[in-house]
Amino acid sequence: MSRTRWQPIRDLVKKLKLISLPDKPCEIFPILARIFILFCLVSSISIVLYAAFFPQNHPFSFPAPNRTAPEPKPELDSVPTNISHILFGIGGSAATWNSRSRYSCLWWDAKRTRGFVWLDKIPKGKNKILISAPPHRLSSREWTRFKFSSSRSAVRIARIISDSFKLKLPGVRWFVMGDDDTVYFTENLVSVLTKYDHNRMWYIGGNSESVEQDLIHTYDMAFGGGGFAISYPLAEKLVAILDGCLDRYFYFYGSDQRIWACISEIGVPLTRELGFHQFDIRGNAYGLMAAHPVAPLVSLHHLDYVDSLFPYKNQTDSLKSLNGAYQLDPPRILQQTFCYDYKRKWSISVAWGFTVQLYPLLLPAKDLQTPLQTFKTWRGSRDGPFTFNTQPMKSNPCELPVVFMLEQAEEVGQRGSLTSYQMNEPTPEKCNRTDYAEAMSLQRIVVSALKLDPQYWTKDYERRRQCCDVRGIKKSNMEIRIRKCRPWETITIAG
């Protein structure tokens, strides 16, 4: 730069008195370098200070790290689980479907329930009852290529979860698997599933009642006949590994054990719910039904292998009677209630919607809640062991209860119910005691109750049996009222 061209800049800087510049142009560069360094330092300090006080708006701020919090759920996902969110996958076969469809027709509602019976081929013949049964589909033919040891159909039934998932039906939160002779109580099933977050992986069901079955298979498995539920996220993971997994566990007998083994590889344990009933028992299921645990009744299975639930009725009509009471008050069905008639020294146990047991003696609650062993084990027809406590049937007829079976169930107003129980025909062996004769003179027990809240099993209620009062005897009819227990109340025999 010439001296002449540099002169105006020198004059301006001198007037502003910023810095003193040298006379030679070549000496200006070190000074400019220092000015540039000073500018950078001031700018850096300014950026740091600005970012510290205004981090969200600063154009040079780094993006925040990813958070693990879940994304906001769609509005529809906030709706509580209902029956439309469940897709049933029912395992059946052409050979059994025509005869067993009567069980599905008892609980299936074409307007509300969704799902299919998966068959190996189209069933022959026409059956009028199939009109009200679940629709059927044919299992995909892929199942025939998998290895098996003793039960080839178990492979097909295990793949029902895959066939169901691949339908990609909208709004499915839960896949519920069962057999064609499984009877579901769908309102209670919804109550159970509502307790769990369907956006997480869940495997829900129950064990076998017979220990021998659990030993042969596994205690950690949901037995498929009683039904089990798999949440959508778990189903998605399961379907991704299922085909390879089925070949790895080809030596298992049942489809449910194959599913359990595959879910074990994902790492999700079984969550047990006491209302799923595999019914791995033989004989009379009365004792188990009359002492149901404090849990909603969800399912019954193996109904062809136990006696009719109601004497002098076939199994289908027995289930219709039970279902009539269930429809009246779903959360209360089979729920047990105890009370005492201290004047007569009687103990009464009500299994609502099914039976009333009257003992002409005072028994503690621990005995009343323990099922009478009216049944045998599934495989060996032995006296046990079972996965729950039982008490043997007494040989002395005076120690057995007088049994009353459901006769009628009706609604009273909008909130009440009235059920009546008629005395079952006495056994050939009679007790000759006077107090027992008085009990035998009763013809009917009438039970009144307020309906339970439909969300009784989903809300944070106390898990507690309700109480009851004996209101008196009129014309061979005993009247009992079921009510909520008072906070201080216990079922204790008075001293």
Side-chain angles (χ1 to χ4, degrees):
M1 182 180 291
S2 66
R3 184 178 181 86
T4 304
R5 294 176 61 186
W6 175 247
Q7 189 60 42
I9 297 176
R10 292 180 71 255
D11 295 341
L12 178 61
V13 171
K14 286 181 178 181
K15 288 181 180 179
L16 294 175
K17 298 182 179 181
L18 292 175
I19 57 174
S20 59
L21 296 176
D23 293 334
K24 296 180 180 181
C26 62
E27 297 176 353
I28 191 66
F29 295 106
I31 297 175
L32 291 177
R34 288 195 292 270
I35 293 174
F36 179 74
I37 292 172
L38 179 63
F39 173 78
C40 291
L41 180 61
V42 172
S43 299
S44 299
I45 294 173
S46 300
I47 290 173
V48 171
L49 291 175
Y50 188 84
F53 289 100
F54 305 97
Q56 301 298 322
N57 300 321
H58 191 269
F60 297 105
S61 61
F62 293 101
N66 292 330
R67 303 294 183 188
T68 57
E71 296 180 2
K73 297 179 181 179
E75 184 177 351
L76 291 177
D77 199 46
S78 63
V79 176
T81 295
N82 58 58
I83 192 64
S84 70
H85 297 127
I86 299 172
L87 187 65
F88 289 93
I90 303 169
S93 70
T96 62
W97 179 231
N98 281 326
S99 61
R100 289 185 174 182
S101 58
R102 68 186 188 276
Y103 291 123
S104 296
C105 291
L106 291 170
W107 62 270
W108 184 262
D109 184 347
K111 295 180 180 179
R112 300 175 65 243
T113 42
R114 294 200 294 169
F116 303 94
V117 177
W118 295 88
L119 305 176
D120 51 347
K121 56 185 178 180
I122 298 174
K124 295 180 180 180
K126 294 183 179 180
N127 190 341
K128 292 181 180 179
I129 200 171
L130 293 179
I131 298 174
S132 56
H136 69 265
R137 281 180 174 256
L138 297 183
S139 298
S140 59
R141 296 302 301 174
E142 297 176 13
W143 67 273
T144 57
R145 64 181 173 86
F146 291 92
K147 295 188 294 183
F148 67 97
S149 58
S150 57
S151 177
R152 191 178 191 187
S153 63
V155 178
R156 180 180 65 84
I157 294 173
R159 294 192 80 255
I160 287 177
I161 181 65
S162 179
D163 289 336
S164 299
F165 184 85
K166 290 177 181 178
L167 294 175
K168 298 296 182 183
L169 297 183
V172 176
R173 297 180 180 180
W174 296 93
F175 296 87
V176 173
M177 305 292 109
D179 287 353
D180 53 3
D181 60 342
T182 303
V183 173
Y184 286 104
F185 298 84
T186 54
E187 296 293 333
N188 291 340
L189 173 63
V190 170
S191 295
V192 167
L193 298 183
T194 300
K195 297 190 300 181
Y196 302 96
D197 184 356
H198 60 274
N199 293 298
R200 300 184 181 276
M201 292 190 288
W202 290 102
Y203 171 45
I204 301 170
N207 292 121
S208 170
E209 291 82 359
S210 293
V211 168
E212 61 189 15
Q213 286 289 89
D214 292 316
L215 288 174
I216 291 172
H217 301 288
T218 174
Y219 280 97
D220 298 330
M221 178 185 85
F223 278 66
F228 58 86
I230 295 175
S231 63
Y232 189 96
L234 178 56
E236 188 174 33
K237 296 279 188 183
L238 178 61
V239 169
I241 68 168
L242 186 61
D243 287 354
C245 188
L246 290 178
D247 271 340
R248 284 193 291 279
Y249 300 105
F250 73 93
Y251 51 86
F252 283 146
Y253 173 77
S255 59
D256 45 10
Q257 195 172 14
R258 287 170 164 87
I259 292 294
W260 160 75
C262 297
I263 291 177
S264 296
E265 293 188 359
I266 300 172
V268 177
L270 172 65
T271 298
R272 292 175 176 83
E273 284 285 347
L274 298 178
F276 289 87
H277 293 290
Q278 173 74 7
F279 258 22
D280 275 349
I281 55 176
R282 302 277 185 173
N284 192 342
Y286 175 82
L288 181 56
M289 299 274 287
H292 195 271
V294 184
L297 173 64
V298 175
S299 67
L300 297 174
H301 179 49
H302 276 160
L303 293 163
D304 282 338
Y305 299 93
V306 294
D307 299 341
S308 294
L309 301 182
F310 286 83
Y312 316 113
K313 291 183 180 181
N314 61 39
Q315 196 66 288
T316 301
D317 289 339
S318 294
L319 290 165
K320 287 180 180 178
S321 295
L322 187 69
N323 189 57
Y326 158 75
Q327 294 292 341
L328 188 62
D329 193 352
R332 192 185 288 280
I333 190 69
L334 290 192
Q335 293 308 299
Q336 200 178 15
T337 305
F338 308 144
C339 50
Y340 298 109
D341 183 337
Y342 290 110
K343 178 181 177 182
R344 299 175 178 84
K345 295 184 178 181
W346 288 356
S347 305
I348 299 107
S349 169
V350 180
W352 190 91
F354 180 59
T355 188
V356 176
Q357 296 172 311
L358 192 159
Y359 288 88
L361 64 158
L362 295 178
L363 293 174
K366 69 177 183 63
D367 292 338
L368 295 173
Q369 73 179 10
T370 304
L372 291 171
Q373 193 181 315
T374 58
F375 42 84
K376 302 287 187 178
T377 61
W378 172 256
R379 186 172 293 270
S381 293
R382 294 189 290 266
D383 288 331
F386 299 96
T387 54
F388 50 88
N389 293 325
T390 62
Q391 56 178 318
M393 292 287 290
K394 306 295 192 297
S395 58
N396 183 354
C398 296
E399 296 182 74
L400 295 175
V402 181
V403 174
F404 298 77
M405 299 299 297
L406 178 70
E407 176 187 36
Q408 187 176 358
E410 59 182 277
E411 190 172 34
V412 178
Q414 294 182 344
R415 297 184 57 202
S417 68
L418 199 68
T419 52
S420 60
Y421 306 80
Q422 192 172 26
M423 190 183 72
N424 194 21
E425 289 192 13
T427 57
E429 295 184 62
K430 297 181 181 179
C431 176
N432 295 321
R433 282 191 347 221
T434 303
D435 55 348
Y436 203 92
E438 184 180 4
M440 291 290 294
S441 68
L442 291 177
Q443 297 299 313
R444 185 176 288 101
I445 295 180
V446 179
V447 178
S448 60
L450 291 178
K451 294 181 182 180
L452 289 178
D453 186 337
Q455 297 182 339
Y456 180 80
W457 298 111
T458 60
K459 289 185 176 179
D460 191 22
Y461 285 107
E462 292 178 325
R463 292 293 176 262
R464 183 183 182 186
R465 288 189 187 88
Q466 291 201 321
C467 295
C468 64
D469 298 316
V470 177
R471 306 185 72 175
I473 297 177
K474 298 179 181 178
K475 297 181 180 180
S476 300
N477 290 345
M478 173 182 278
E479 296 181 4
I480 294 176
R481 179 174 65 96
I482 296 177
R483 57 173 174 77
K484 184 178 179 181
C485 295
R486 301 176 183 93
W488 48 265
E489 192 171 10
T490 61
I491 310 300
T492 305
I493 299 174

